Amino acid sequence: QVQLVESGGDLVQPGGSLRLSCATSGIIFSIYDMGWYRQAPGKQRELVAAIISSSDRIYADSVKGRFTISRDNAKNAMYLEMNSLKPEDTAVYYCNAVRRSPWSWGKGTLVTVSS
Protein backbone atom coordinates (compact mmCIF):
# COMPACT_ATOMS: atom_id res chain seq x y z
CA GLN A 1 0.00 0.00 0.00
CA VAL A 2 1.02 3.58 -0.54
CA GLN A 3 2.77 5.32 2.34
CA LEU A 4 3.61 9.01 2.46
CA VAL A 5 5.74 10.26 5.35
CA GLU A 6 6.41 13.96 5.73
CA SER A 7 9.14 15.36 7.98
CA GLY A 8 11.18 18.46 8.67
CA GLY A 9 8.57 20.75 10.18
CA ASP A 10 9.57 22.92 13.12
CA LEU A 11 9.04 26.20 14.92
CA VAL A 12 10.91 28.94 13.08
CA GLN A 13 11.07 32.71 13.33
CA PRO A 14 9.73 34.93 10.56
CA GLY A 15 12.32 35.22 7.81
CA GLY A 16 13.73 31.81 8.61
CA SER A 17 14.10 28.70 6.46
CA LEU A 18 13.11 25.05 6.58
CA ARG A 19 13.48 22.03 4.34
CA LEU A 20 10.65 19.53 4.29
CA SER A 21 11.04 15.95 3.11
CA CYS A 22 8.52 13.45 1.78
CA ALA A 23 9.40 9.77 1.80
CA THR A 24 7.22 7.48 -0.30
CA SER A 25 6.78 3.74 -0.59
CA GLY A 26 4.40 1.39 -2.33
CA ILE A 27 4.36 3.32 -5.61
CA ILE A 28 6.52 3.71 -8.70
CA PHE A 29 7.34 7.23 -7.55
CA SER A 30 9.00 8.40 -10.76
CA ILE A 31 5.87 8.14 -12.90
CA TYR A 32 3.69 10.42 -10.79
CA ASP A 33 3.31 14.16 -10.71
CA MET A 34 3.69 15.18 -7.09
CA GLY A 35 2.95 18.16 -4.94
CA TRP A 36 3.12 19.75 -1.53
CA TYR A 37 -0.11 20.79 0.13
CA ARG A 38 -0.76 22.64 3.37
CA GLN A 39 -3.66 23.13 5.72
CA ALA A 40 -3.71 26.05 8.10
CA PRO A 41 -5.95 26.06 11.18
CA GLY A 42 -9.56 26.63 10.17
CA LYS A 43 -8.77 26.60 6.47
CA GLN A 44 -9.05 24.11 3.62
CA ARG A 45 -6.09 22.18 2.37
CA GLU A 46 -4.38 23.96 -0.53
CA LEU A 47 -1.74 23.04 -3.08
CA VAL A 48 1.37 25.17 -2.67
CA ALA A 49 3.85 23.59 -5.09
CA ALA A 50 3.98 20.78 -7.65
CA ILE A 51 6.35 19.07 -10.02
CA ILE A 52 4.72 18.16 -13.32
CA SER A 53 6.33 15.72 -15.75
CA SER A 54 9.48 15.66 -13.57
CA SER A 55 10.61 19.08 -14.69
CA ASP A 56 7.90 21.72 -14.71
CA ARG A 57 7.31 23.39 -11.38
CA ILE A 58 4.27 25.36 -10.38
CA TYR A 59 3.78 27.41 -7.24
CA ALA A 60 0.93 29.14 -5.52
CA ASP A 61 1.25 32.90 -5.78
CA SER A 62 1.61 33.12 -2.02
CA VAL A 63 4.88 31.14 -2.03
CA LYS A 64 6.33 31.99 -5.43
CA GLY A 65 9.94 33.14 -5.15
CA ARG A 66 10.29 31.79 -1.59
CA PHE A 67 9.62 28.03 -1.89
CA THR A 68 11.39 25.52 -4.14
CA ILE A 69 10.10 22.03 -4.82
CA SER A 70 12.40 19.21 -5.90
CA ARG A 71 12.40 15.44 -6.13
CA ASP A 72 14.89 12.57 -6.15
CA ASN A 73 13.39 9.64 -8.03
CA ALA A 74 16.26 7.36 -7.03
CA LYS A 75 15.31 7.88 -3.38
CA ASN A 76 11.54 7.97 -3.94
CA ALA A 77 11.58 11.31 -2.18
CA MET A 78 10.43 14.88 -2.62
CA TYR A 79 11.52 18.07 -0.90
CA LEU A 80 10.29 21.57 -0.23
CA GLU A 81 12.84 24.27 0.49
CA MET A 82 11.12 27.14 2.24
CA ASN A 83 12.81 30.52 2.66
CA SER A 84 11.70 33.92 3.97
CA LEU A 85 9.01 32.22 5.98
CA LYS A 86 6.03 34.28 7.12
CA PRO A 87 3.54 33.71 9.93
CA GLU A 88 0.90 32.96 7.29
CA ASP A 89 2.95 29.95 6.19
CA THR A 90 2.04 28.28 9.48
CA ALA A 91 0.27 25.03 8.62
CA VAL A 92 0.51 21.28 8.47
CA TYR A 93 2.28 20.35 5.25
CA TYR A 94 1.48 17.19 3.30
CA CYS A 95 2.79 15.55 0.16
CA ASN A 96 0.61 13.70 -2.32
CA ALA A 97 -0.03 13.22 -5.99
CA VAL A 98 -1.35 15.94 -8.25
CA ARG A 99 -3.51 15.61 -11.39
CA ARG A 100 -5.07 12.38 -10.08
CA SER A 101 -7.04 11.21 -7.07
CA PRO A 102 -4.88 11.57 -3.96
CA TRP A 103 -3.62 8.56 -2.08
CA SER A 104 -4.36 8.26 1.62
CA TRP A 105 -2.92 11.30 3.34
CA GLY A 106 0.05 11.00 5.63
CA LYS A 107 0.19 12.63 9.06
CA GLY A 108 1.85 15.72 7.67
CA THR A 109 4.53 17.84 9.29
CA LEU A 110 3.79 20.97 11.28
CA VAL A 111 5.46 24.24 10.33
CA THR A 112 4.99 27.08 12.80
CA VAL A 113 6.32 30.52 11.93
CA SER A 114 6.32 32.74 14.98
CA SER A 115 8.57 35.05 16.95
Side-chain angles (χ1 to χ4, degrees):
Q1 79 227 37
V2 179
Q3 282 194 316
L4 306 170
V5 180
E6 302 89 353
S7 62
D10 205 346
L11 170 64
V12 62
Q13 291 188 341
S17 299
L18 281 175
R19 186 179 191 239
L20 306 184
S21 299
C22 169
T24 72
S25 61
I27 58 172
I28 304 174
F29 177 72
S30 61
I31 70 173
Y32 292 103
D33 298 330
M34 295 290 295
W36 282 97
Y37 300 76
R38 69 185 180 188
Q39 186 167 18
K43 295 188 177 182
Q44 288 192 334
R45 187 176 285 146
E46 62 173 346
L47 178 67
V48 295
I51 293 185
I52 306 298
S53 301
S54 295
S55 59
D56 296 332
R57 292 162 172 77
I58 59 171
Y59 298 95
D61 287 344
S62 58
V63 307
K64 202 171 293 183
R66 301 187 297 120
F67 289 12
T68 302
I69 189 172
S70 62
R71 67 189 296 167
D72 185 337
N73 289 337
K75 295 183 178 179
N76 294 329
M78 183 172 66
Y79 309 97
L80 187 67
E81 191 76 35
M82 305 188 296
N83 298 312
S84 302
L85 282 162
K86 304 176 180 180
E88 51 264 43
D89 295 318
T90 294
V92 179
Y93 285 71
Y94 303 88
C95 60
N96 214 310
V98 296
R99 301 206 306 179
R100 56 151 283 153
S101 299
W103 299 299
S104 295
W105 294 92
K107 294 182 179 179
T109 187
L110 176 62
V111 173
T112 304
V113 185
S114 175
S115 54

